[in-house]
Amino acid sequence: MVGTLTGIYPGTFDPITNGHTDIIHRAAKMLDRLVVGVAVNAGKGPLFNAEERVAHVEEEIAALGNDFAKRISVKNFDNLLVEFAAENNATVIVRGLRAVSDFDYEFQMASMNAKLNADVETVCLMATDKYQFIASRLVKEIAIMGGDVAPFVSERIVSRLLDRVGRPG
Ligand code: ADP
């Protein structure tokens, strides 16, 4: 569609956290269309499979309300990010940036993706301060060790996590 600004927000989302949802919300405010790309290959064995992660992201988006939900879609992908962006007519890659920890990696990724496709711009957004420190990896560790993950993820994800790690809700 001419004049439609489409962005891709790629990630593992294992599981989707309040930090991710905040970035989705912020990105959707700036774009006409946002495609959340759930990476199938999530490194060292994800807690939730790709279909589950897509369903979880869809639920969080539904909870943002209709105005946003109708402009956001969720898809899994296992090809090169710039190819996935092109398939979706996306010219923007959205990434979330936490304090200092993400900068190096994001800087490198953005530079390499720009070399692969000069027509795609990477835009980094920051989550609201209270969600800045949240990382899926730590949320999983806390859940596995019996800690309270309620400050970091939605109630829906809390119960899915407890279920998956075999703890009573
Ligand atoms: P994680 O890095 O937590 O394992 P992902 O790989 O799914 O999660 O991350 C997808 C994108 O979201 C990355 O750009 C990552 O930096 C960003 N992100 C993850 N958590 C946060 C957060 N709490 N605040 C801002 N951005 C975040």
Side-chain angles (χ1 to χ4, degrees), residues 58-147:
E58 281 172 343
E59 284 174 8
E60 298 309 305
I61 291 166
L64 289 177
N66 230 350
D67 262 14
F68 288 104
K70 65 182 184 220
R71 289 188 287 113
I72 311 173
S73 52
V74 189
K75 298 177 183 177
N76 60 36
F77 75 103
D78 59 5
N79 52 347
L80 211 52
L81 181 56
V82 288
E83 281 171 11
F84 179 61
E87 281 164 21
N88 286 281
N89 299 314
T91 51
V92 174
I93 294 172
V94 175
R95 297 290 289 172
L97 211 51
R98 283 164 292 200
V100 273
S101 57
D102 288 329
F103 182 78
D104 237 22
Y105 179 67
E106 296 298 340
F107 183 71
Q108 211 174 6
M109 273 251 298
S111 309
M112 295 190 73
N113 282 329
K115 284 272 184 294
L116 294 173
N117 184 345
D119 297 327
V120 177
E121 289 297 340
T122 297
V123 173
C124 290
L125 301 176
M126 282 156 284
T128 187
D129 52 2
K130 68 177 189 225
Y131 297 150
Q132 275 282 332
F133 59 92
I134 304 173
S136 296
R137 182 178 57 81
L138 298 176
V139 167
K140 276 184 281 193
E141 280 176 24
I142 293 167
I144 290 166
M145 303 297 282

